[in-house]
Amino acid sequence: MVVDHLYKFIPATQLQFIYPIGRLAMPLFAFTFGYSLTFFKFENIHLVKNLLFRLFIAAFISSIPYIYLQKDFIAFGVWPLNIIFMFILAVLIMYINTLKRKYSSLIAAALFILGGMFVEYYWAGLILVIFSYYFVKRPKWKNLLAIILSLILLVDLNGNLYAFLFLPIVYFAQFLDFKFKRIKHIFYVLYPLHLFLISGIKLFNS
């Protein structure tokens, strides 16, 4: 993720050999988030509210450096919203799908179609997060095909096939036995922090 943003926003770091590493950031990031949600209890509305609140705070804070970094690429740098807003939308869609009430599927589909126009990585990102969650819970072919579809959509966004390297990495990762101490909520700190640091580097070099 850091490599990807350095390559995109700081010209001096645009080394071709690190570009493929950067393109793997989003698929791995999205899959990890989807995987983490398999341990989450969507039926508990209080947990859902707390998760959405944490995500929104991180997304809002991250928007400050994100908009500054984006302004050279897109007018005002506001659109699309940063990737954490995409995670918020994915959580909302999955939560609504668990309600199993009348029109739940229709509301979830509307959120997917309309919301996907405004978040980073658009529908490709949403599909990858949502179906990574479903694939881990139920490793069926239809869920895997949805993940592959998201990677195909990323080809159009990235202009290359590097995102497909995500598949063998995730497959072989299950055979590794690394032990890491989990630092709770570290993601909410590191994501905005790295954007602020890159913004500082860009401001210093401008």
Side-chain angles (χ1 to χ4, degrees):
M1 179 175 62
V2 176
V3 169
D4 190 43
H5 285 152
L6 280 171
Y7 185 95
K8 180 177 181 180
F9 298 121
I10 309 296
T13 62
Q14 290 181 348
L15 304 175
Q16 289 299 320
F17 70 91
I18 66 171
Y19 183 65
I21 299 173
R23 292 294 83 192
L24 285 170
M26 181 273 174
L28 292 173
F29 200 16
F31 179 84
T32 301
F33 184 74
Y35 173 80
S36 69
L37 290 176
T38 60
F39 302 98
F40 187 75
K41 296 179 180 178
F42 279 100
E43 64 274 13
N44 188 325
I45 184 60
H46 298 293
L47 290 178
V48 174
K49 286 180 178 179
N50 288 338
L51 174 61
L52 290 173
F53 178 75
R54 289 195 302 271
L55 286 169
F56 179 78
I57 293 298
F60 180 78
I61 294 172
S62 300
S63 293
I64 300 169
Y66 181 81
I67 290 171
Y68 167 71
L69 292 169
Q70 281 279 104
K71 65 183 176 62
D72 293 335
F73 297 89
I74 301 170
F76 307 111
V78 177
W79 176 85
L81 300 173
N82 69 64
I83 196 171
I84 309 184
F85 282 106
M86 187 267 284
F87 289 165
I88 291 172
L89 190 57
V91 170
L92 282 171
I93 291 169
M94 285 186 278
Y95 169 67
I96 292 170
N97 273 334
T98 63
L99 296 178
K100 299 187 184 303
R101 295 176 184 171
K102 191 176 182 181
Y103 303 124
S104 290
S105 297
L106 187 61
I107 295 171
L111 272 176
F112 174 82
I113 294 169
L114 296 176
M117 293 188 290
F118 299 99
V119 294
E120 192 173 12
Y121 293 103
Y122 311 108
W123 301 279
L126 288 172
I127 293 171
L128 188 49
V129 172
I130 293 169
F131 283 93
S132 292
Y133 166 82
Y134 287 125
F135 180 76
V136 173
K137 290 183 74 71
R138 294 183 294 275
K140 297 181 178 179
W141 275 104
K142 63 179 182 179
N143 294 328
L144 178 59
L145 288 175
I147 291 174
I148 293 173
L149 171 62
S150 72
L151 298 177
I152 292 172
L153 293 174
L154 282 175
V155 170
D156 183 56
L157 291 174
N158 295 337
N160 57 66
L161 298 170
Y162 290 133
F164 275 92
L165 294 173
F166 153 83
L167 292 173
I169 290 174
V170 170
Y171 175 77
F172 287 109
Q174 66 182 312
F175 302 111
L176 301 177
D177 191 26
F178 294 136
K179 301 295 182 182
F180 296 100
K181 184 177 180 180
R182 183 172 180 265
I183 304 176
K184 195 173 183 181
H185 303 328
I186 189 66
F187 152 78
Y188 301 98
V189 176
L190 290 182
Y191 184 79
L193 179 61
H194 96 279
L195 289 176
F196 274 109
L197 290 174
I198 293 173
S199 295
I201 294 170
K202 182 175 181 179
L203 185 63
F204 181 78
N205 290 330
S206 61

